[in-house]
């Protein structure tokens, strides 16, 4: 298991770093925390400096007073980027809500990034999709973490996942229970109520992008991924066969292969220099 060093931004965001080389920053999904990236950290830290952080109200991150907004999370990512970027531009990756925030950041700050990775990320929900996620959020707020766990159990996993990888399923669902669920709900409200303001603006993103989702992800759908890829001028689209929402965890080997290929392309000579430095 990779050694992770914990840092804290001036505004109190906990950040865990592993490895050396060009910098990759990973933003987790709502109700999760930085632990969801364990498989990516293991795979990427051999060649890159991997930085994971907890979003406001999740994991070890503070829960500032008042309601959350998309701006709060964009500012948080900016603080992380500013602290860890070093001498070179990083690649920013986000999963689900983390991908939504990464979109918003990249639209404004794409010249600060070497690349963008949007994994199982929502974009331009239909009226019906928006109604479903809002109802789910309202039910979670009313009924608590156990309801969110049961909802995730039904939507995120196949019958084969439950049968063949029950411990992994339990671990993922356990992340929902960890921490302050009320604080997480403040972030969840942002996830279900924002995003429309980003539609049609991804054409401004000048850095290369990797866009991935599972073919059976009914929340971050293949159609959403295709539309993001169509709008971002330089992009690669990957639809992972047989996968649902938790693709980066449950199909980490294939997901990591795509991520490593993308990072090797966007970082180019920097990645090779870092590898030579680690293995002279």
């Amino acid at each position: 298991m990779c050694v992770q060093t914990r840092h804290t931004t001036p505004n109190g965001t906990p950040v865990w770093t592993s490895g050396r080389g060009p910098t990759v920053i990973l933003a987790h999904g709502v109700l999760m925390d930085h632990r969801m990236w364990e498989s990516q950290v293991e795979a990427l830290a051999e060649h890159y400096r991997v930085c994971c952080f907890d979003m406001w109200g999740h994991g070890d991150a503070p829960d500032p007073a008042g309601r959350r907004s998309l701006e709060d999370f964009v500012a948080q990512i900016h603080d992380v980027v500013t602290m860890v970027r070093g001498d070179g531009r990083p690649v920013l990756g986000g999963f689900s809500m983390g991908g939504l925030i990464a979109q918003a950041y990249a639209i404004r700050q794409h010249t600060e990034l070497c690349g963008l990775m949007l994994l199982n990320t929502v974009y331009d929900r239909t009226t019906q999709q928006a109604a479903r996620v809002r109802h789910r959020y309202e039910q979670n707020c009313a009924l608590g973490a156990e309801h969110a766990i049961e909802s995730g159990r039904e939507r995120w996993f196949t019958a084969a996942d439950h049968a063949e990888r029950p411990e992994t399923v339990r671990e993922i669902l356990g992340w929902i229970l960890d921490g302050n669920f009320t604080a997480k709900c403040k972030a969840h409200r942002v996830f279900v109520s924002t995003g429309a303001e980003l539609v049609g603006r991804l054409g401004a993103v000048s850095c290369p992008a990797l866009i991935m989702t599972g073919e059976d992800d009914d929340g971050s759908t293949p159609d959403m991924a295709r539309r993001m890829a169509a709008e971002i001028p330089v992009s690669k689209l990957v639809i992972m066969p047989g996968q649902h929402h938790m693709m980066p965890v449950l199909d980490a080997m294939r997901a990591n292969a795509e991520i490593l290929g993308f990072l090797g392309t966007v970082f180019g000579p920097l990645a090779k220099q870092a590898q030579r430095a680690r293995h002279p």
Side-chain angles (χ1 to χ4, degrees), residues 12-51:
T13 297
V15 182
W16 290 263
T17 65
S18 301
R20 290 184 296 168
T23 298
V24 182
I25 301 169
L26 300 174
H28 63 80
V30 71
L31 308 183
M32 305 279 103
D33 58 49
H34 75 281
R35 292 174 294 175
M36 70 156 289
W37 296 115
E38 180 178 337
S39 295
Q40 282 67 50
V41 171
E42 289 288 331
L44 305 184
E46 178 70 13
H47 309 290
Y48 303 101
R49 182 179 182 224
V50 187
C51 305

Side-chain angles (χ1 to χ4, degrees), residues 19-22 46-47 269-280:
R20 290 184 296 168
E46 178 70 13
H47 309 290
L270 290 175
K272 294 179 181 178
Q273 290 171 16
Q275 188 172 11
R276 285 196 295 268
R278 291 177 67 91
H279 303 286

